[in-house]
Amino acid sequence: MSEQNCLVTNDWICGEYVRSRSQELIDATVQHMGITAASVAIGVAVSLPLALLARRWRFLAGPILGLTTVLYTVPSLAMFSLLLPFFGLSASLVVTGLVLYSLTILVRNILAGLQAVPDEARDAAKGMGYGPLRLLWEVELPLALPALLAGVRITTVSTVALTTVGAIVDYGGLGSMILDGLDTTFKAQVLTASALCVLLAIVADLLLLALQRWLTPWTRVHRIRTNRPARAERTAKVAEPA
Amino acid sequence: MNAITGAYDWLTTGANWQGEKGVWHRLAEHLYFSGVCLAVACLIALPIALYLGHIGKGGALAVNISNVGRAVPTLAVLVLLTLTPLGEHGDVPTLIALVLFAVPPLLTNAYIGMREVDRAVVEAARGMGMSGRQLFARVELPLAYPLIMTGVRSAGVQVVATATLAAMAGEGGLGRIITAGFNLQNTPQVVAGALLVALLALFVEVVLVVVGKVFNPMRGRSGVAR
């Protein structure tokens, strides 16, 4: 009987809620995943050229790293609000804000990864007649991949959490359900959506870890290189936006 | 952009700064929340992290707690706490959430700072006959100081940012100017509030950097590499 009544008594855990509103939960989760995936993908696409610029011209490294770090200190609610005049109430507003946050970690990690490529490997490739593009694509990027993917993992996990703040403009995925649950003091909705959000972050992290292992089989053969992602993760230790 | 000039007009209107919902009152609330919580978080996290770092145990805990913290949505915690019985006690949910979010960076940085002190230096100090307590106070702590302060800075900015989100859960602070703007569909007010919040976060960051430099125990000594 408690199964039926938990909606009436407003319990924290309510199977009936999950059953009857599963469509709503699925929609919110899909929106959440879409916003996160788009933000991380665009973040990588923007960070890669920025990291290459910072590596090519030393004098650009300071401003690029400095600017992305300053962006990181801006509170998320303020970030989304500041972008409001440019995008209006839309999903692209949330995605843009999240992309700006992702740059800090991604640029740093990609740069660290590229700088950690051994000179011998670079010289050997050049000696074999590799041009700059082929060198980047076939030698440097694969070797920087563990650091890059470590950055993508950190970014993805914090982006999943930050997406909830998009609820302020109604594009927060599960965050919108959390805020909605607060307005109606609907405890089951708040707890279910929060739990799904954490679950989403964990699943995404594990999937990326699997991807990393699949893409970089050599890191498991040569023990020496397994240190690299750990070091890159350490460089990315900065405050998390809230 | 209309919203930008509108935000300027909003900020330069004296009436918006006065009263219960004015900027000054919200700023005071914001600083009160942030200050109290940062202090409490430091009192909780730093002794634990420094002790664990000194004895060299619990590293996995100190590092992982930070990674787990990343996955937990701030908004969800604030709303969950507000809906518990604690929510009836006004500011309590916000204060607890802020402390919870300030602890991981403090713990991780202080622990790593203590562990990254050059082992050779520690051994040398021990060889000179320093006791554990002397070693801690005169060697490890001064050398770990820069990383400890990085943690305090991260935590400080984190707390200021989280205090903004408290407004979404119906608490006070500068974020209320933004959420009130959303409710009134007053975009200039939203942008003005966001500007104030962003400036405050940057200001706090700068202040903590300066404070960290001024109180550095190694300041003015030669041969400081970090």
Side-chain angles (χ1 to χ4, degrees):
Chain A
M1 59 156 240
S2 63
E3 285 285 300
Q4 293 301 318
N5 282 346
C6 60
L7 281 175
V8 182
T9 53
N10 199 11
D11 289 340
W12 284 103
I13 298 169
C14 183
E16 185 55 30
Y17 164 72
V18 179
R19 250 191 309 282
S20 59
R21 309 278 281 273
S22 61
Q23 193 52 47
E24 220 173 296
L25 282 167
I26 291 169
D27 289 345
T29 311
V30 168
Q31 188 187 55
H32 207 109
M33 288 194 290
I35 287 173
T36 306
S39 309
V40 175
I42 298 173
V44 172
V46 176
S47 318
L48 196 59
L50 283 179
L52 288 173
L53 279 178
R55 186 181 63 143
R56 178 72 184 77
W57 289 288
R58 280 279 156 76
F59 69 93
L60 283 178
I64 289 176
L65 291 179
L67 189 69
T68 53
T69 311
V70 166
L71 285 174
Y72 217 63
T73 54
V74 178
S76 50
L77 187 58
M79 182 78 98
F80 293 143
S81 309
L82 281 175
L83 295 169
L84 183 64
F86 304 99
F87 294 93
L89 298 173
S90 66
S92 50
L93 164 82
V94 181
V95 170
T96 309
L98 293 171
V99 166
L100 290 177
Y101 281 129
S102 73
L103 296 182
T104 317
I105 290 173
L106 288 174
V107 171
R108 263 165 215 274
N109 270 39
I110 296 174
L111 193 60
L114 288 173
Q115 282 168 346
V117 174
D119 282 335
E120 305 91 78
R122 213 173 272 136
D123 289 342
K126 277 187 201 154
M128 285 168 70
Y130 279 40
L133 254 183
R134 202 172 158 209
L135 176 71
L136 177 72
W137 189 246
E138 290 182 18
V139 178
E140 292 180 309
L141 275 184
L143 286 177
L145 208 55
L148 188 150
L149 284 173
V152 170
R153 281 177 61 200
I154 300 176
T155 308
T156 307
V157 170
S158 51
T159 302
V160 169
L162 268 179
T163 301
T164 54
V165 183
I168 189 78
V169 293
D170 261 343
Y171 289 92
L174 293 163
S176 303
M177 302 205 69
I178 295 174
L179 205 60
D180 189 46
L182 173 74
D183 289 339
T184 51
T185 55
F186 191 170
K187 290 176 181 171
Q189 177 163 326
V190 172
L191 189 68
T192 311
S194 305
L196 274 176
C197 202
V198 174
L199 194 69
L200 206 56
I202 295 168
V203 169
D205 196 44
L206 289 178
L207 283 178
L208 284 168
L209 183 66
L211 179 75
Q212 181 177 344
R213 293 184 66 116
W214 180 64
L215 281 178
T216 59
W218 63 87
T219 52
R220 273 169 290 155
V221 182
H222 301 290
R223 283 274 141 202
I224 294 169
R225 293 206 53 91
T226 51
N227 287 333
R228 302 237 180 227
R231 196 188 300 164
E233 249 170 287
R234 205 180 286 170
T235 58
K237 192 160 289 133
V238 271
E240 295 142 38
Chain B
M1 296 296 292
N2 272 337
I4 308 283
T5 52
Y8 179 79
D9 289 339
W10 193 92
L11 285 173
T12 46
T13 306
N16 291 328
W17 291 71
Q18 307 301 326
E20 182 82 335
K21 290 178 178 173
V23 174
W24 290 124
H25 183 238
R26 293 300 184 201
L27 182 68
E29 280 178 334
H30 208 102
L31 290 176
Y32 159 75
F33 283 153
S34 313
V36 169
C37 290
L38 185 60
V40 171
C42 281
L43 285 177
I44 294 172
L46 290 184
I48 297 175
L50 294 178
Y51 178 71
L52 289 178
H54 179 65
I55 62 169
K57 295 212 173 91
L61 171 86
V63 174
N64 284 325
I65 203 168
S66 198
N67 291 336
V68 172
R70 226 185 282 277
V72 178
T74 319
L75 182 67
V77 173
L78 272 165
V79 170
L80 281 171
L81 284 174
T82 309
L83 285 182
T84 60
L86 287 170
E88 289 153 22
H89 301 282
D91 301 340
V92 176
T94 315
L95 296 173
I96 293 177
L98 292 183
V99 171
L100 279 181
F101 283 105
V103 164
L106 288 168
L107 210 55
T108 308
N109 278 287
Y111 179 83
I112 290 177
M114 290 294 281
R115 292 318 294 163
E116 285 198 342
V117 171
D118 194 342
R119 287 297 107 191
V121 176
V122 174
E123 290 309 315
R126 238 190 257 283
M128 285 166 65
M130 279 195 182
S131 67
R133 188 175 298 207
Q134 284 173 319
L135 181 70
F136 173 75
R138 289 165 52 184
V139 178
E140 290 178 324
L141 200 56
L143 287 175
Y145 178 84
L147 264 182
I148 299 174
M149 280 312 291
T150 306
V152 173
R153 221 167 63 219
S154 305
V157 175
Q158 182 98 350
V159 160
V160 169
T162 313
T164 311
L165 281 187
M168 283 176 84
E171 306 293 339
L174 279 179
R176 276 303 276 275
I177 297 173
I178 300 177
T179 51
F182 268 107
N183 290 338
L184 299 168
Q185 298 191 328
N186 180 353
T187 306
Q189 180 179 337
V190 171
V191 175
L195 271 175
L196 287 169
V197 169
L199 285 176
L200 180 71
L202 291 176
F203 177 73
V204 167
E205 167 95 17
V206 171
V207 167
L208 287 174
V209 167
V210 173
V211 168
K213 286 236 160 73
V214 170
F215 287 101
N216 191 342
M218 304 292 276
R219 191 168 66 121
R221 294 199 204 170
S222 57
V224 182
R226 296 209 248 178

